[in-house]
Amino acid sequence: MLGENKPGHIDQIKKVNAGVVYRLIDQHGPISRIELSKKAQLAPASITKIVREMVDAQLVKETEFQEMASRGRPATGLVLDTRNWHYLALRIGNGELILALRDLSSRCIVEETQPLLLDDVRPLQFLIAEQIDAFFTRNQSKLERLTAIAITSPGMVNGSLGVIHRMPFYTVKDLALAPFLAARMGLPVYLAHDIYGWTLAEALFGAARGTRDVIHLVIDDNVGAGVITGGRILHRGTSSLVEIGHTQIAPQGRQCYCGNHGCLETLASIPHLLERAAEGMARDTASALHHQPLTIETLCRAALNSDPLARSLIQEVGESVGRLLAVMVNIFHPEKILIGSPLNQASSLLYPLISRTIMQQSLPSYSAALTLEASQIAGRGTLPGAALIKDALFEGSLLIQLLQG
């Protein structure tokens, strides 16, 4: 039995070690082989073998650099060689598809926003595939070696299966989008919920970098949360997020796309919030929201100018999410809460409401030193998709495929 399992065990060790080495070069390069061996806790011979494979695959290159406190000849160090490796990052939005060609350093080569019509009767996967084909045709001159596709999507998503079970905006049921595109394109495809990708991007590139315990609250087209605990994202690769958006707040409320009524998402998501504002305007003819386009910007501006309707809507959002966050604070004991939302335009009103509710309804020892901050990453872009690729390289699964050609 041991003999039968040994090849798989060796492959797993190789994947993990390669991912560790790649991550350390990314984070500390230029770095010498000796220093790399120390940080990776791998034998010099193992480092030499892994690095040779990466250099041969043009994933890593050598460069000279001056070591600190050294006046001698420059040392030879390792850095990533990412220019000739590209991937496609996609974000499925409300009536639109954002496509970006990026290199393995996450640098954006070209980005486009294309329509993804809500009322098109053709299956969603074929609409997306057509947009991908057209994108590559338009940008063929910029394209280098294509490695993978990363997709972030709203809805109920199982990242490990590559399946979107349900979505707002689009009528889908158990859509196996990642397997479909992988078979069509001949590339690995990574799929995750918008919020999972956004939380991962905050951990790799943004406000959660270097922080071990974080709750990332998102109030946008979706309402949900990502949780980083002990430096790792909760529910990694499965359900992808903490489903506070589908917690019932008002049992007699609107029906949600998940099938239930009165979910937090039907109360606080940006599309529903604007719908509720429009309904309120019909009753409140004196609201400052009249005589101008109703957008999240005008709603936030009116709330900051003490418009009763606008303030009451944001107050309800703040208190509702604050109650759920108080429970999460008691469970996860975060150092900070990051908030990613267009409602950050009214942060001076929203944040105190959330903070006060958390303080009232959670243990003081867990909330006393808690800070609330705005997210640094734009969740409506393709950087969350870029985070999926970076994570797959660090974890080793994508890296091994690239090393094997």
Side-chain angles (χ1 to χ4, degrees):
M1 202 70 172
L2 261 166
E4 291 175 7
N5 290 337
K6 191 173 181 181
H9 181 63
I10 292 172
D11 288 345
Q12 177 65 16
I13 292 173
K14 181 178 179 181
K15 183 185 81 167
V16 171
N17 287 348
V20 167
V21 170
Y22 188 89
R23 175 175 56 81
L24 289 170
I25 295 173
D26 184 33
Q27 294 175 345
H28 300 285
I31 182 171
S32 68
R33 284 173 171 78
I34 294 173
E35 189 64 22
L36 188 58
S37 176
K38 292 177 182 176
K39 288 184 179 295
Q41 296 183 332
L42 293 171
S46 297
I47 292 293
T48 298
K49 184 175 185 299
I50 293 169
V51 167
R52 185 189 305 118
E53 291 180 353
M54 291 184 181
V55 170
D56 290 345
Q58 296 184 319
L59 288 163
V60 166
K61 62 183 179 181
E62 294 183 329
T63 186
E64 289 188 343
F65 71 104
Q66 192 67 47
E67 291 182 300
M68 292 182 63
S70 173
R71 297 182 181 179
R73 294 176 58 186
T76 299
L78 300 164
V79 294
L80 299 187
D81 187 4
T82 60
R83 294 165 299 171
N84 298 325
W85 294 90
H86 288 171
Y87 62 88
L88 181 66
L90 307 176
R91 181 186 185 270
I92 303 172
N94 185 356
E96 66 179 22
L97 181 68
I98 305 175
L99 308 95
L101 187 66
R102 293 177 176 271
D103 69 19
L104 290 189
S105 72
S106 303
R107 181 176 66 95
C108 185
I109 310 300
V110 59
E111 183 172 291
E112 298 177 1
T113 300
Q114 298 294 336
L116 194 62
L117 299 180
L118 303 177
D119 56 356
D120 198 308
V121 297
R122 291 172 294 170
L124 184 64
Q125 64 268 35
F126 290 104
L127 298 179
I128 293 171
E130 286 180 7
Q131 290 287 9
I132 291 173
D133 291 343
F135 177 83
F136 285 144
T137 299
R138 287 190 298 271
N139 297 289
Q140 191 171 13
S141 63
K142 302 180 178 70
L143 185 62
E144 296 291 343
R145 298 170 69 180
L146 196 63
T147 61
I149 298 174
I151 307 168
T152 57
S153 166
M156 302 174 71
V157 178
N158 188 312
S160 60
L161 297 178
V163 173
I164 304 175
H165 295 294
R166 293 184 184 176
M167 292 179 73
F169 322 130
Y170 302 97
T171 303
V172 301
K173 184 177 181 182
D174 301 331
L175 173 61
L177 182 59
F180 170 81
L181 290 177
R184 181 185 174 101
M185 306 295 296
L187 294 168
V189 178
Y190 299 88
L191 172 69
H193 192 284
D194 270 345
I195 295 173
Y196 177 88
W198 192 351
T199 303
L200 186 58
E202 291 291 344
L204 291 173
F205 315 120
R209 191 172 186 179
T211 307
R212 292 183 59 79
D213 299 291
V214 179
I215 294 174
H216 178 216
L217 169 69
V218 172
I219 309 171
D220 205 320
D221 288 342
N222 292 122
V223 178
V227 174
I228 302 170
T229 178
R232 293 182 61 82
I233 296 184
L234 192 67
H235 301 320
R236 178 188 178 100
T238 54
S239 59
S240 301
L241 78 160
V242 177
E243 275 290 11
I244 65 170
H246 296 288
T247 301
Q248 193 177 66
I249 298 296
Q252 305 305 315
R254 302 166 186 258
Q255 184 170 17
C256 180
Y257 68 87
C258 74
N260 290 330
H261 286 78
C263 291
L264 177 62
E265 196 154 297
T266 67
L267 174 83
S269 70
I270 300 305
H272 282 104
L273 191 59
L274 292 176
E275 285 180 19
R276 295 173 61 231
E279 293 168 359
M281 288 167 64
R283 299 187 298 269
D284 184 357
T285 57
S287 172
L289 295 173
H290 288 283
H291 312 300
Q292 60 181 328
L294 179 57
T295 65
I296 199 61
E297 290 77 19
T298 57
L299 179 67
C300 289
R301 194 181 312 124
L304 293 174
N305 289 331
S306 300
D307 177 74
L309 172 59
R311 285 183 72 91
S312 68
L313 289 168
I314 290 183
Q315 181 174 353
E316 189 175 5
V317 170
E319 292 175 349
S320 296
V321 300
R323 285 194 293 272
L324 289 173
L325 286 174
V327 176
M328 294 176 68
V329 165
N330 279 346
I331 295 171
F332 297 112
H333 317 161
E335 301 165 59
K336 65 171 72 172
I337 293 176
L338 300 180
I339 300 178
S341 176
L343 291 177
N344 282 343
Q345 297 168 87
S347 59
S348 60
L349 173 63
L350 180 66
Y351 287 18
L353 289 167
I354 295 174
S355 183
R356 184 168 65 244
T357 305
I358 292 173
M359 294 288 287
Q360 290 170 347
Q361 300 189 21
S362 65
L363 283 173
S365 58
Y366 295 151
S367 58
L370 185 64
T371 60
L372 271 66
E373 300 177 18
S375 296
Q376 291 181 1
I377 304 297
R380 292 192 177 189
T382 57
L383 206 51
L388 299 182
I389 298 297
K390 181 76 78 173
D391 188 57
L393 290 166
F394 288 175
E395 180 262 339
S397 59
L398 178 57
L399 189 62
I400 288 297
Q401 294 186 56
L402 300 185
L403 290 173
Q404 293 172 347

